[in-house]
Amino acid sequence: MTRGQSTYNKLYWVRDNIIANDFPDISAILSEPDGLLAIGGDLSSERLLDAYQRGIFPWYSEGQPILWWSPDPRWVLQPEKLKISRSLKKTMRKRPFRVTFDRAFDEVIKCCAEPRKDSIETWITREIIESYYELHRQGYAHSVECWQDDNLAGGLYGIALGRVFFGESMFSYKTDASKIALVHLCRILRKRQFVMIDCQVHSEHVERLGAEPLAQSRFADILRQDCYIDTGEAWPAESDFYE
């Protein structure tokens, strides 16, 4: 994710130590690279929460300044529209994993930070790990873990604000572990009347799971109505749901 200085010069620069109203409207995104909105600032809890409420998230590589994004369209998944394939249902009937919530957030985000097979880089920098762990400590960031015996087999993490869950990343060491974590996440989100999971950008993987494109303006409308700073009730320690 390399950006030249000419691109940086076109961007809104986020000021240090100023939080409130320090992002431009998301309609000001660049068309190339698609969705890039602003640069700079920090990853304090206050700024991150402000960004998510506005439909903005950080995404950058080690050694870069912080880059802030708001893609249009936004890819979102309504929890009740999760697509569970026939093969996944068959796997779930065997109950291959024990599923927990918020038991190992630090382990999950570090596993998600490991480079993928086709890359040597990761966008989950040390600064990201530290900042999101602080959001977890404050009750905003959550993880779902799949365990095989006492070993972490897969999982995911994200941010819950109001009735919106902002998915950040997932990983699998065992087949279908991250998908099963998502199924259990959708179950608890449906029970708590969450309206959507923000998947951020398109991939064939999230589309197969049921994610759909949503116009940026409509996404912003939903955030204004359903995204607010409220940690709500505690999440359960363990999930007993299998289909």
Side-chain angles (χ1 to χ4, degrees):
M1 195 163 46
T2 303
R3 307 295 173 206
Q5 190 62 42
S6 60
T7 297
Y8 291 161
N9 289 340
K10 299 176 184 177
L11 292 171
Y12 179 89
W13 282 79
V14 180
R15 295 165 291 179
D16 292 336
N17 303 318
I18 298 177
I19 305 300
N21 301 315
D22 198 36
F23 284 108
D25 188 86
I26 58 176
S27 62
I29 59 171
L30 299 184
S31 58
E32 180 58 41
D34 184 28
L36 186 56
L37 177 69
I39 183 173
D42 57 43
L43 295 178
S44 66
S45 296
E46 294 83 1
R47 191 181 300 279
L48 284 169
L49 293 175
D50 182 57
Y52 278 100
Q53 284 188 292
R54 297 169 183 270
I56 303 165
F57 60 87
W59 184 27
Y60 65 103
S61 299
E62 194 78 55
Q64 286 184 321
I66 299 171
L67 302 177
W68 301 92
W69 301 75
S70 185
D72 185 15
R74 197 70 162 239
W75 279 77
V76 304
L77 171 63
Q78 296 177 40
E80 67 275 12
K81 290 187 176 181
L82 174 68
K83 294 180 180 177
I84 305 176
S85 68
R86 184 178 302 175
S87 62
L88 182 58
K89 288 181 179 179
K90 182 178 179 180
T91 299
M92 291 183 66
R93 283 195 291 269
K94 299 176 183 177
R95 295 178 175 258
F97 309 115
R98 180 167 58 90
V99 181
T100 61
F101 298 101
D102 289 339
R103 175 176 168 180
F105 183 90
D106 55 340
E107 293 180 60
V108 168
I109 193 171
K110 288 175 182 176
C111 290
C112 288
E114 294 176 359
R116 304 309 192 216
K117 293 180 180 179
D118 57 351
S119 175
I120 61 174
E121 294 186 347
T122 176
W123 65 269
I124 304 176
T125 65
R126 287 170 294 178
E127 189 178 15
I128 287 281
I129 292 173
E130 292 171 0
S131 298
Y132 283 70
Y133 185 77
E134 177 60 22
L135 285 178
H136 170 66
R137 191 188 67 78
Q138 295 176 18
Y140 301 113
H142 299 278
S143 60
V144 186
E145 304 92 15
C146 287
W147 302 88
Q148 200 166 66
D149 298 322
D150 291 325
N151 299 313
L152 197 56
L156 60 85
Y157 79 96
I159 308 294
L161 295 176
R163 298 195 299 158
V164 179
F165 188 88
F166 299 88
E168 284 298 313
S169 188
M170 55 174 54
F171 78 99
S172 285
Y173 291 148
K174 300 293 184 179
T175 301
D176 289 335
S178 63
K179 293 179 183 177
I180 290 175
L182 180 62
V183 171
H184 285 257
L185 172 66
C186 286
R187 173 66 173 179
I188 190 174
L189 296 184
R190 289 201 305 268
K191 288 179 65 175
R192 298 186 177 201
Q193 298 183 319
F194 274 60
V195 296
M196 68 180 177
I197 299 172
D198 173 29
C199 302
Q200 299 179 346
V201 297
H202 173 264
S203 72
E204 293 183 0
H205 179 63
V206 299
E207 186 172 4
R208 284 195 298 269
L209 291 170
E212 299 174 326
L214 189 65
Q216 186 189 67
S217 58
R218 177 59 184 145
F219 182 75
D221 288 341
I222 294 173
L223 293 187
R224 281 190 287 270
Q225 178 175 333
D226 293 297
C227 180
Y228 44 87
I229 305 297
D230 179 11
T231 57
E233 59 184 307
W235 288 37
E238 191 162 338
S239 176
D240 60 0
F241 170 73
Y242 269 95
E243 288 188 354

